Amino acid sequence: MTKKIFVVCSIFVTILSAVFITSIWINKEEKGNLVYVFDKSILNDYKIGAGLVSFNCTIVVKNNSDDKLHFSMHPDWSNEIGLVSEAYEQETISRFEKVHIIEPNAESSFAVNFTVPFGGNKTKKDRLPPKKIDFILYDYKILEKDADVLRKDLQEHTSPRFQ
């Protein structure tokens, strides 16, 4: 009898431990600095013109960190090959990407236009935003320094001596 109780208790403790470890692992998955909230994001419209497809989206992002973050977004349109050219990956990363800012521990929506090369097919498979978005984080101190340099350069080139 005590052997049965020991086996039942052991099984119960093992199951309880597995559930606990799984819940920690699932929560850790969502605890990244930035989380793309697909369920709240929207594809508003898309337009084709001049060899490009422009996707007008409202993208919801959650910041799980205690820091204000500066970031850019890179959507994965691989499920839209046909509407989107297969070469989209190389051509969407630009030196002058839009940098977004999100406050600590906040959820914000961003109106964005993702422009990629047109693939020839004029229809989209669904009316959903991109399934996946990669984020590139920027060090805001470097961004502010670059902005100061650009501001100074712009002031020098627009001063009366250049006109």
Side-chain angles (χ1 to χ4, degrees), residues 17 37-38 56 64 67 75 78 98 112 141:
S17 298
V37 186
F38 174 78
N56 177 358
N64 288 326
D67 299 316
S78 59
K98 171 97 171 144
V112 293
K141 293 174 187 165

Short mmCIF file of all heavy atoms in Angstrom, two decimals, residues 17 37-38 56 64 67 75 78 98 112 141:
data_model
loop_
_atom_site.label_atom_id
_atom_site.label_comp_id
_atom_site.label_asym_id
_atom_site.label_seq_id
_atom_site.Cartn_x
_atom_site.Cartn_y
_atom_site.Cartn_z
N SER A 17 5.99 19.25 -11.70
CA SER A 17 7.28 19.86 -12.08
C SER A 17 7.31 20.16 -13.57
O SER A 17 7.79 21.21 -14.00
CB SER A 17 8.43 18.93 -11.72
OG SER A 17 8.49 18.72 -10.33
N VAL A 37 2.94 41.80 -31.67
CA VAL A 37 1.61 41.34 -31.28
C VAL A 37 0.79 41.17 -32.57
O VAL A 37 0.07 42.07 -33.00
CB VAL A 37 0.94 42.33 -30.30
CG1 VAL A 37 -0.38 41.75 -29.80
CG2 VAL A 37 1.87 42.64 -29.14
N PHE A 38 0.92 39.99 -33.16
CA PHE A 38 0.28 39.70 -34.44
C PHE A 38 -1.24 39.83 -34.36
O PHE A 38 -1.88 40.38 -35.26
CB PHE A 38 0.67 38.30 -34.91
CG PHE A 38 -0.04 37.85 -36.16
CD1 PHE A 38 0.37 38.31 -37.40
CD2 PHE A 38 -1.12 36.98 -36.10
CE1 PHE A 38 -0.28 37.91 -38.56
CE2 PHE A 38 -1.77 36.57 -37.25
CZ PHE A 38 -1.35 37.04 -38.48
N ASN A 56 0.52 48.94 -46.33
CA ASN A 56 0.18 49.91 -45.29
C ASN A 56 -0.37 49.12 -44.10
O ASN A 56 -1.43 48.53 -44.19
CB ASN A 56 -0.85 50.90 -45.83
CG ASN A 56 -1.30 51.89 -44.80
OD1 ASN A 56 -0.89 51.86 -43.65
ND2 ASN A 56 -2.17 52.79 -45.21
N ASN A 64 8.85 44.66 -23.37
CA ASN A 64 8.88 44.00 -22.07
C ASN A 64 10.07 44.43 -21.22
O ASN A 64 10.28 43.88 -20.14
CB ASN A 64 8.94 42.48 -22.26
CG ASN A 64 7.63 41.93 -22.75
OD1 ASN A 64 6.57 42.43 -22.41
ND2 ASN A 64 7.69 40.91 -23.57
N ASP A 67 13.51 49.68 -20.34
CA ASP A 67 14.21 50.74 -21.05
C ASP A 67 13.39 51.24 -22.23
O ASP A 67 12.64 50.48 -22.85
CB ASP A 67 15.55 50.24 -21.59
CG ASP A 67 16.48 49.77 -20.49
OD1 ASP A 67 16.57 50.47 -19.46
OD2 ASP A 67 17.10 48.70 -20.65
N PRO A 75 9.78 42.94 -41.88
CA PRO A 75 8.76 41.89 -41.98
C PRO A 75 9.24 40.71 -42.84
O PRO A 75 10.09 40.87 -43.72
CB PRO A 75 7.60 42.60 -42.66
CG PRO A 75 8.26 43.65 -43.49
CD PRO A 75 9.46 44.10 -42.70
N SER A 78 7.85 36.07 -46.93
CA SER A 78 8.14 34.85 -47.70
C SER A 78 6.88 34.08 -48.07
O SER A 78 6.88 33.35 -49.06
CB SER A 78 9.12 33.95 -46.95
OG SER A 78 8.59 33.58 -45.69
N LYS A 98 13.29 53.53 -41.11
CA LYS A 98 12.53 54.29 -40.10
C LYS A 98 12.83 53.70 -38.73
O LYS A 98 12.72 52.49 -38.52
CB LYS A 98 11.04 54.19 -40.42
CG LYS A 98 10.15 54.72 -39.36
CD LYS A 98 9.73 56.12 -39.65
CE LYS A 98 8.66 56.51 -38.65
NZ LYS A 98 8.67 57.80 -38.22
N VAL A 112 2.93 51.90 -40.36
CA VAL A 112 4.13 51.70 -41.17
C VAL A 112 3.76 51.33 -42.59
O VAL A 112 2.69 50.77 -42.85
CB VAL A 112 5.05 50.61 -40.57
CG1 VAL A 112 5.63 51.05 -39.25
CG2 VAL A 112 4.34 49.30 -40.42
N LYS A 141 21.95 56.34 -27.66
CA LYS A 141 23.03 57.32 -27.48
C LYS A 141 23.77 57.55 -28.80
O LYS A 141 24.10 58.66 -29.15
CB LYS A 141 23.99 56.85 -26.39
CG LYS A 141 23.35 56.85 -25.02
CD LYS A 141 24.25 56.25 -23.98
CE LYS A 141 23.48 56.12 -22.68
NZ LYS A 141 24.12 55.27 -21.74
#
